[in-house]
Amino acid sequence: MTTSTLDRPVLGPMISWPCPSGLRITLLVGSGCSMLVRLSGELDIATGPAVKSALDFCLSLDHSHGVTLDAADLTFIDAAGLRPLVQAHALSRRRGQWLRIASVSTALRRVLALTRHTHRLLECTAAGRGDTDQVLPGSQPQRAPRLR
């Protein structure tokens, strides 16, 4: 796989985003104006650029109000892997959109707590298990419970 393929998804109702081994990115078009991004596998310095490209793509869509991230199947994440999530969160705020993490794996929860990004990335969460049908465009985000 060449680097240029990271910027071009395979289009359809479910988009399978090309990424390095160790990570699978699936984009699902939700009802209304939202996208669901499912991450499974390992998110680190090698796979971070693919996640950044996928999230940037979703946030760049003209009709997008925001992105719901389903990270329930994320088995590993380090500080380098957290960077694209923080960058996407900042980008969504600048564009008046939202980035919600609906399903948080134990690995992600641990890294968020260690890096003190819990308040930033989990302040806006969607109801339910990350199903974009439950995320209504323009709906008010819910506060996540504090992690201890």
Side-chain angles (χ1 to χ4, degrees):
M1 174 186 320
T2 63
T3 316
S4 62
T5 60
L6 293 177
D7 298 327
R8 288 178 284 155
V10 178
L11 296 176
M14 183 175 79
I15 302 168
S16 181
W17 198 270
C19 57
S21 62
L23 180 72
R24 189 163 91 219
I25 304 172
T26 307
L27 310 180
L28 299 166
V29 179
S31 60
C33 301
S34 64
M35 295 285 291
L36 173 70
V37 177
R38 283 202 178 116
L39 301 177
S40 45
E42 299 180 1
L43 179 51
D44 54 19
I45 195 165
T47 57
V51 172
K52 181 177 181 346
S53 294
L55 292 173
D56 287 351
F57 170 78
C58 291
L59 291 169
S60 72
L61 297 174
D62 290 337
H63 65 279
S64 177
H65 288 189
V67 174
T68 300
L69 183 66
D70 180 353
D73 295 328
L74 204 58
T75 57
F76 174 83
I77 183 171
D78 59 10
L82 186 60
R83 184 175 185 172
L85 304 184
V86 172
Q87 290 172 331
H89 179 259
L91 178 63
S92 69
R93 293 289 182 155
R94 283 194 307 272
R95 292 185 175 172
Q97 299 167 313
W98 41 260
L99 173 71
R100 297 177 178 158
I101 302 178
S103 300
V104 183
S105 68
T106 305
L108 177 56
R109 190 174 299 276
R110 185 177 302 122
V111 170
L112 289 172
L114 288 172
T115 59
R116 299 180 188 241
H117 278 85
T118 301
H119 68 283
R120 182 178 299 171
L121 291 176
L122 292 186
E123 69 185 15
C124 297
T125 59
R129 298 179 323 196
D131 207 10
T132 55
D133 292 334
Q134 297 175 0
V135 179
L136 301 175
S139 62
Q140 291 296 317
Q142 299 175 351
R143 278 213 170 271
R146 291 182 82 81
L147 299 176
R148 296 178 197 257

